[in-house]
Amino acid sequence: MINKFTLKQIFKFIILLFVISCTPSNKLNEQEIDEIKMVFGVTQESSPIEGDHIFFKDISYGSRERNRLDVLLPNVDQLNGAVLFFHGGAFLFGTKEDLYEGEQKEIFTNILKEKIAVVNAEYTFINDAEAKGVVTSLEDGSKVIDFITERAALLNLPQNKIILAGISAGAGIAQWNGFREE
């Protein structure tokens, strides 16, 4: 015979299972990963940063040669946000790959551990033939922001928790785009 205490415990357990099963998961499944691959035209690659996350390299966000970005998605149930990151280099040099080594690698590792996605973007240099000076680099930053926010649902990114960051020239791109009007 089941006593009243045991019945309450069973009832609590059933309620807990119901709540857990009804809680939405933002963790990407294989079908969602395949959809990302198809939409972006890239494959999932092995990450330059250690940890449990999904890495997509060289996603095209525009028509220029350097309009490429990488996406690092922590393999977790709920993302806490996303950082859109622009590398430094005086608008003349540098690549997104620079951020996968040294101090920057440690920063990215810690960001990912906090369940925050990283979008690491390149931009057109001011001395490229197709550039109109620094304006082109700043506009590329805007393209990255638009590209990611338009695809936030596909990547399971919380739209209201996306921040901009960068080093040197990349910080300038982040700051300039932080003040743009929607």
Side-chain angles (χ1 to χ4, degrees), residues 47-56 69-74 81-88 95-122 163-167 170:
S47 177
I49 297 178
E50 292 181 23
D52 187 17
H53 55 272
I54 301 164
F55 180 65
F56 297 100
L69 58 82
D70 297 344
V71 175
L72 297 98
L73 297 168
V83 175
L84 277 56
F85 202 91
F86 303 94
H87 66 82
T95 70
K96 57 186 171 49
E97 282 75 21
D98 295 341
L99 301 172
Y100 301 136
E101 45 193 57
E103 292 176 0
Q104 292 84 11
K105 182 176 184 175
E106 187 177 330
I107 292 168
F108 276 19
T109 300
N110 289 327
I111 290 171
L112 292 164
K113 284 180 184 176
E114 294 299 321
K115 302 178 184 179
I116 298 172
V118 174
V119 175
N120 186 15
E122 292 188 341
I163 63 168
L164 308 177
I167 296 174

Side-chain angles (χ1 to χ4, degrees), residues 102-161:
E103 292 176 0
Q104 292 84 11
K105 182 176 184 175
E106 187 177 330
I107 292 168
F108 276 19
T109 300
N110 289 327
I111 290 171
L112 292 164
K113 284 180 184 176
E114 294 299 321
K115 302 178 184 179
I116 298 172
V118 174
V119 175
N120 186 15
E122 292 188 341
Y123 49 86
T124 305
F125 294 142
I126 60 175
N127 59 352
D128 286 353
E130 55 200 2
K132 299 175 280 184
V134 74
V135 171
T136 305
S137 303
L138 299 173
E139 289 173 345
D140 282 354
S142 293
K143 288 180 187 174
V144 170
I145 295 164
D146 292 342
F147 182 86
I148 292 300
T149 55
E150 290 168 5
R151 292 157 182 82
L154 174 67
L155 298 168
N156 287 339
L157 301 178
Q159 285 193 2
N160 61 343
K161 294 182 180 179

